[in-house]
Amino acid sequence: MKSLKYLEHYPSHIKTQVQQLISDKKLDKYLLKNYPKSHDIKSDKALYDYTIDLKNNFLKKSLPLSKVIYDGKINVINDALGLHTFISRVQGGKLKSKNEIRVASMFKNCPEEFLRMIIVHELSHIKEKSHDKAFYKLCTYMEPSYHQYELDLRIYLTYVDKFGKLYF
């Protein structure tokens, strides 16, 4: 089976299905059938507002977010889909902390479900730092279809890696 780097940790039957879709030249049809259109969250302000709405619905008592932006410097192929950073600084006699979320710019033009999955993932890091059972429980609390969206996002990244951009 050819390398499917975004699906390495998935069971072999899923990788076989994806490989079959690639061989049949139907991977794009699978994605477009399930996710026919892109979201309308194009600006950093719209992304911030979208993220704050999610945060306020599910993580009201968590630390505030100081910044949420699309970041053109995140290389999805080698790095991550998004980044959550927690910065602590001493200012005078006080310790100030900031939470920031950065989403790879390539996700400006993707289905909302994929963007939501990334935001839910990064918001979950505010409460749970490591990718453990509690982390994924929080992700599925905020988005019940989290695991399906993550799989389909990885399938989308496989498509982009093999064939280039897909327009929703």
Side-chain angles (χ1 to χ4, degrees):
M1 185 178 302
K2 294 178 186 167
S3 172
L4 299 171
K5 65 183 176 186
Y6 298 106
L7 302 168
E8 283 178 353
H9 303 292
Y10 283 86
S12 60
H13 72 277
I14 289 177
K15 291 188 270 194
T16 300
Q17 289 174 350
V18 172
Q19 192 61 56
Q20 189 63 51
L21 286 169
I22 291 169
S23 298
D24 295 345
K25 296 183 173 31
K26 292 184 178 178
L27 193 57
D28 58 342
K29 290 169 186 54
Y30 166 81
L31 290 164
L32 291 169
K33 179 180 155 239
N34 292 309
Y35 307 97
K37 64 180 189 127
S38 180
H39 62 76
D40 295 325
I41 305 160
K42 306 297 184 197
S43 70
D44 289 341
K45 170 132 180 50
L47 182 63
Y48 179 84
D49 292 343
Y50 181 80
T51 303
I52 291 300
D53 285 346
L54 277 171
K55 182 185 174 303
N56 288 342
N57 284 333
F58 297 105
L59 301 172
K60 290 179 181 123
K61 295 181 181 176
S62 65
L63 295 171
L65 286 172
S66 60
K67 186 188 288 187
V68 181
I69 60 169
Y70 287 110
D71 190 340
K73 294 178 184 169
I74 297 175
N75 183 343
V76 174
I77 305 302
N78 297 321
D79 285 333
L81 309 176
L83 298 170
H84 166 257
T85 54
F86 178 76
I87 303 163
S88 294
R89 291 189 178 102
V90 176
Q91 290 183 333
K94 296 182 181 178
L95 184 63
K96 299 273 187 174
S97 62
K98 291 181 3 178
N99 278 294
E100 295 180 0
I101 292 176
R102 295 170 183 269
V103 176
S105 291
M106 76 173 285
F107 296 112
K108 277 187 181 182
N109 297 303
C110 73
E112 183 179 347
E113 293 88 347
F114 296 173
L115 182 65
R116 182 179 175 93
M117 192 241 48
I118 294 165
I119 295 297
V120 162
H121 184 98
E122 300 309 331
L123 282 172
S124 295
H125 278 304
I126 292 173
K127 289 191 83 168
E128 302 292 338
K129 300 303 180 207
S130 61
H131 295 116
D132 56 13
K133 193 173 185 176
F135 174 84
Y136 287 108
K137 185 175 180 181
L138 181 56
C139 287
T140 55
Y141 167 71
M142 289 193 278
E143 175 47 65
S145 298
Y146 175 84
H147 292 294
Q148 183 64 53
Y149 295 158
E150 181 182 21
L151 171 61
D152 287 343
L153 177 58
R154 290 175 175 279
I155 292 171
Y156 168 65
L157 292 172
T158 299
Y159 180 90
V160 170
D161 194 36
K162 293 190 176 300
F163 305 108
K165 200 169 192 175
L166 179 64
Y167 296 93
F168 293 95

